[in-house]
Amino acid sequence: MTDAAVEYDVVVLGGGPAGENIADRTRAAGLSTALVESELVGGECSYWACVPSKALLRPALARADARRVPGLAGSVSGPLDAEAVFAHRDYWASDWKDEGQVGWLDSIGADLYRGHGRLYGIRKVAVTSPEGEHHVLSARHAVVVATGTRAVVPDVPGMAEARPWTSREATSARQAPDRLLIIGGSVVAAEMATAWQALGSRVTVLVRGSGLLPRMEAFAGELVTEALTEAGAVIRTGVDVESVVRDGSTGPVSVVLKGGEVLEGDELLVATGRAPRTEDIGLDTVGLAPGHWIPVDDSCRVPGIDWLYAVGDVNHRALLTHQGKYQARIAGAAIAARVAGAGGAQDTGRWGAHTATADTEALTQAVFTDPEAAAVGLTLAEAERAGHRVRAVDYDLGKVSGAGLYADGYRGRARIVVDLDREVLLGATFVGSGAAELLHAATIAIVGEVPIERLWHAVPAFPTISEVWLRLLETYRG
């Protein structure tokens, strides 16, 4: 490898949503920027996660809603057109080609280096292209790691040999397996169970814990489980997988549970967590541990290394695309401010725009199951563990006029978690059809620390599902 380096103001390692947003912000600040990507520009979200999964889910959710609307239900009684759904998914995944994203990079003036990138000492990144070419990129001001995460496949006997699906295969498969086994209770498990059950698979979900969506209020997982069960899926909780066996290269897969019970499927999806893609990016050259999450401060800078930043999943603050993009905006602003001479001002709290808080105080998440589950901030249990004096206020979403008009038999639930000392919201959860669209109002209330007394004057339109806000406040006041 040659030591002759191409110099930039900023070098970004990883071209997913977080990496793209860093490049956008640093280029907007007039800083020369190089982006290194080993796969497709746009990353996991664009091709194997958020975008293709929602393209698969939208027809399923629309059909489910239509079946609950008088005068329309009889028109949507048949199965989904799977080929049309897959074509829709392929379109939104750009047929797994990244010309559009590359064109966007060109339009902002960032340089793309394709290949495997590794930190190469202080402010340097070495890149090996697929053709074997070697480049050294030197950063005048900052290197940003945005390499994301990969799916974890548990170390269970026979699992690796069985070639299970991960989220990548689950969002890109071109045929519905007749029988799909899913291990895990996460968002991926719940969403893919919803999608593939609707596409014709017989789905069985195996959850080690007590239920689906364990990071949300318990009622969210309960309502999603109830709907999946009614749709024909089987949800098993409190089960442990002891081994996995695949019959030949393409035959059925058998999952052996603790106690000896054997379940058979045509495909097996493992959705049990994520791990950082840091095992071979040169962290050891800067004193960090390969294969580990990268610690950062609230400007997403690595403590003790004034030129190194980490944004998105890789820093483990919040494994969500929108939060990674948010962190990238924060880090981009911090880098630009430091280059412009702001020094460390943002680290003292005087530069609020350069300090990430949403991923610790107002984390948002939407799960596109039927029903949808959406949450922001703290759950009741989290608020109590944090020492807040709180009250949970619940309301049956089905009793809101707008929900009843939205669909017959509308089922859902809303909860706000109120800080009784300050009378502001610390958290909110909504479960029901279309519930994800309620989330941003709650996010604004939490981030803005809007007093309950002021929320009374935010009048929801009638008849909308948002009228639940009025009912929640009425319930709080008693």
Side-chain angles (χ1 to χ4, degrees), residues 53-54 57 61 185-194 212-217 220-221 224-225 228 320 322 364-376 429-437 439:
S53 68
K54 301 316 166 284
L57 285 159
L61 302 188
S186 65
V187 173
V188 171
E191 288 191 342
M192 290 299 94
T194 300
L212 297 176
L213 307 179
R215 296 183 182 276
M216 303 182 88
E217 299 282 11
V224 171
T225 296
L228 277 170
L320 295 160
H322 48 279
T364 55
Q365 183 168 23
V367 185
F368 294 90
T369 45
D370 175 33
E372 292 177 354
V376 56
T429 301
F430 306 96
V431 182
S433 296
E437 298 302 333
L439 189 60

Side-chain angles (χ1 to χ4, degrees), residues 93 129 135 153 229 290 324 332 369 426 433 445:
S129 76
H135 303 277
V153 177
T229 302
T369 45
L426 294 178
S433 296

Side-chain angles (χ1 to χ4, degrees), residues 64-70 370 397-398 400-411 432-434 465:
D65 281 346
R67 286 177 168 176
R68 294 187 280 261
V69 177
D370 175 33
L397 264 175
V400 175
S401 298
L405 289 166
Y406 187 94
D408 274 1
Y410 189 106
R411 285 181 290 180
S433 296
I465 302 175

